[in-house]
Amino acid sequence: MQNIFRFSSTIKYWLTLYIYILFPILAPRLIEGDSHLTKRIIYNMIAALGICFPFSLLSQRFHKILMGLFLVFYLLSWIEICHLHLFDYKLMHFSIQIILDSNVSETTEFIYNTFDTYILCTSAIFLFIILFCWYYTSKFHITTKAKNSFVLITLIALIFSINKGFHSTIFNRYQLLPYRFAKSTYNYYKDKYDLIKLQQEHKVPHFTNLKSSNSPTKGETYIVIIGESADRNHLGYYGYNRPTTPFSNQDLKPIVFKNITTPHASTLLALRDVLTFSHKGHVKEGIRQGSLINIFNQAGFKSFWLSNQYSQGKYDNLTSVIAHDSAVTNFINDKASYIISNNTDSHFDEALLPELDKALQDNSPKKIIFLHLAGSHTHYGFRFPKSFDVFQEHNKNSFEKTFDDYDNSIRYTDYVLSQVVKRINKRQEQSFVLYFSDHGDDVYLDPTSCHCHTTNPKKQTPPMYEIPFLLWVNSAYQKNNPQLVEQIKSYTERPFITHHLIHSLPTLAGLSFDLQEDDKNLFAPSFVPEKE
């Protein structure tokens, strides 16, 4: 009996190598719930055998190099397991896009907030398997006696894997993670650099029949504030039981839109659709049709993009690419030294106010200024100064403290809004401030609340989509547009998704153009609510 289970050095070598290759492919599947789980496990075992094909062709002295290249599998597998643990959903293309869109500071802060015992143990297991297999394979010298048979077996397995998982959309659930990641990476950078090429060649879309109802000689100043991770249900304007909005209604009362939602629960995807003509089923074409910034530029406005979100350069991500359509672009967090010394990826949002003052002092008669806040981005405690640590009654544990910190960040955002509103209230030319958030967060005391937003459709909740949408107009705007203001006040109950903001915002500035569709225009009488 003992002789039956006695393997040769060659067999032991190939078994160890197979385990080394199989583990990162199979590990995510073992913890993933799926109706096709058994089939997927079997397929992954065959796929791992197929990946042994180059090992069977080359001599043993090259195997360490191939094993080293295989560390990419381990890294991607570890990322997918962490994704499954955090979001209970496999790593899909939209999550991969968000990973690619993240910079070093965002990644560091995300790890800081999510690293836990599970991820630590997973990391240790992965490291153990790697070191064990590298050590154990070095103990054996393999012979070439069965090499031809092994080449044939691994080739058949490889052909099966490619045929089933790589080329048929019917079997896309069987695609190996590296292929999924490579395909998503390719599509992401192709879309991004297509837009970069358009900018470099100065092929900015031309909007036909672009007109303004306002006098070309009169001044106009408009400010669009894009918040971050703000759930409208945490704002006093929407009936929240905490005083989170005590500042921004002191000088001017906002027009509060009560039924506004975002198209996506992630910054990248939401702003892609908010700033361009992109929406579901019309992404690539929508991006190429132009942006809100392009419209205002062509209409004779000087455009500014002032951001408190980190950027590594002009082409850091798609939002940054679109932002650089502006005449003036300023990401105040482009200094790595600030992040290192302050352990956070942004200043407090009031650091944008001096930059706003510079823009307001610009002598251009017509200006549109986009302010992109850090808002309530995790870690919430990083988003407000100590003087705004007002809500502390639930600070019994870290979960409840996070809840309080979130409300403190909302209250601080309201303070920043009030400072902007004060500035437009003093201006002589017609001005407005529009504030909305890219998306919301699910932050409640209920134990099921994730205190997050997610790309997992199974885990997404209404608070991740329900965003604040507030409009302030100064006296000059009210005087010049009395009928429009009264109409707008009657539209506050309209259900609206912000991926059609590009059809709506120009109306507030008196602009119209051929691509504008009034049935998608929140501020038009002929608006038609979008069916979910």
Side-chain angles (χ1 to χ4, degrees), residues 49-120:
L49 185 61
I51 295 173
C52 287
F53 179 66
F55 289 87
S56 65
L57 291 178
L58 300 176
S59 63
Q60 187 178 358
R61 68 176 181 272
F62 294 108
H63 287 189
K64 285 289 190 237
I65 297 174
L66 294 175
M67 291 176 73
L69 294 174
F70 205 80
L71 291 175
V72 175
F73 270 134
Y74 272 84
L75 175 61
L76 296 180
S77 174
W78 178 81
I79 291 174
E80 180 162 47
I81 287 179
C82 293
H83 192 275
L84 282 163
H85 166 61
L86 294 171
F87 304 113
D88 193 26
Y89 202 68
K90 64 183 178 181
L91 195 63
M92 297 298 289
H93 63 91
F94 37 77
S95 298
I96 294 170
Q97 284 188 352
I98 291 171
I99 291 172
L100 294 171
D101 193 56
S102 300
N103 48 55
V104 175
S105 66
E106 289 173 332
T107 303
T108 302
E109 189 170 351
F110 181 79
I111 294 173
Y112 174 83
N113 290 312
T114 59
F115 195 85
D116 57 16
T117 304
Y118 181 94
I119 295 177
L120 178 63

Side-chain angles (χ1 to χ4, degrees), residues 140-406:
F140 301 112
H141 176 72
I142 60 173
T143 64
T144 58
K145 185 177 180 180
K147 185 173 182 179
N148 292 336
S149 298
F150 197 70
V151 169
L152 180 61
I153 293 171
T154 55
L155 178 60
I156 292 172
L158 182 63
I159 293 172
F160 171 83
S161 303
I162 294 174
N163 181 65
K164 192 173 181 67
F166 281 28
H167 294 292
S168 175
T169 55
I170 298 174
F171 298 111
N172 59 9
R173 68 171 62 92
Y174 298 107
Q175 289 175 351
L176 296 180
L177 177 58
Y179 176 80
R180 250 189 290 148
F181 201 98
K183 184 178 180 181
S184 296
T185 300
Y186 172 78
N187 290 336
Y188 171 82
Y189 283 106
K190 183 178 183 301
D191 291 344
K192 177 177 173 179
Y193 285 105
D194 281 349
L195 189 58
I196 291 173
K197 187 176 180 180
L198 283 175
Q199 285 192 327
Q200 290 175 337
E201 295 177 354
H202 303 289
K203 292 182 179 179
V204 177
H206 179 78
F207 300 93
T208 57
N209 204 26
L210 177 60
K211 299 177 181 178
S212 174
S213 61
N214 298 325
S215 168
T217 59
K218 287 188 177 181
E220 301 171 65
T221 298
Y222 306 128
I223 302 175
V224 179
I225 304 177
I226 302 172
E228 170 69 54
S229 304
D231 168 19
R232 68 168 180 247
N233 302 294
H234 282 257
L235 274 70
Y237 292 119
Y238 295 88
Y240 191 50
N241 59 8
R242 277 178 157 180
T244 55
T245 54
F247 305 106
S248 61
N249 65 347
Q250 292 178 354
D251 295 282
L252 289 175
K253 303 294 182 184
I255 302 173
V256 181
F257 293 82
K258 300 177 181 179
N259 199 7
I260 309 297
T261 54
T262 181
H264 300 283
S266 73
T267 300
L268 168 66
L269 301 180
L271 292 190
R272 178 199 67 189
D273 290 3
V274 167
L275 296 172
T276 71
F277 288 93
S278 169
H279 57 84
K280 186 177 181 180
H282 187 70
V283 176
K284 292 183 179 179
E285 299 83 356
I287 292 174
R288 293 188 177 96
Q289 283 179 302
S291 70
L292 270 169
I293 299 171
N294 296 146
I295 293 171
F296 279 89
N297 286 345
Q298 186 178 322
F301 284 76
K302 185 169 183 178
S303 54
F304 300 78
W305 184 279
L306 310 177
S307 177
N308 192 26
Q309 299 221 358
Y310 186 81
S311 174
Q312 293 175 313
K314 184 174 181 179
Y315 304 126
D316 181 33
N317 54 48
L318 187 57
T319 302
S320 181
V321 170
I322 296 171
H324 278 85
D325 283 335
S326 301
V328 177
T329 308
N330 186 1
F331 289 82
I332 65 174
N333 290 310
D334 60 353
K335 302 297 183 184
S337 58
Y338 177 85
I339 298 164
I340 294 171
S341 61
N342 290 274
N343 193 34
T344 175
D345 66 351
S346 72
H347 301 267
F348 297 130
D349 281 329
E350 61 190 287
L352 285 173
L353 296 177
E355 304 305 320
L356 173 62
D357 289 335
K358 293 178 185 177
L360 291 174
Q361 292 166 11
D362 188 278
N363 58 11
S364 301
K366 298 180 186 294
K367 297 183 283 290
I368 183 163
I369 305 168
F370 292 86
L371 297 181
H372 193 187
L373 308 181
S376 298
H377 193 290
T378 55
H379 183 283
Y380 309 132
F382 288 163
R383 304 305 166 208
F384 56 89
K386 290 183 180 179
S387 59
F388 278 82
D389 191 8
V390 175
F391 305 116
Q392 300 181 358
E393 57 264 41
H394 294 107
N395 285 2
K396 298 176 183 178
N397 54 54
S398 59
F399 184 81
E400 293 186 359
K401 185 179 186 305
T402 302
F403 173 81
D404 283 347
D405 284 346
Y406 184 76

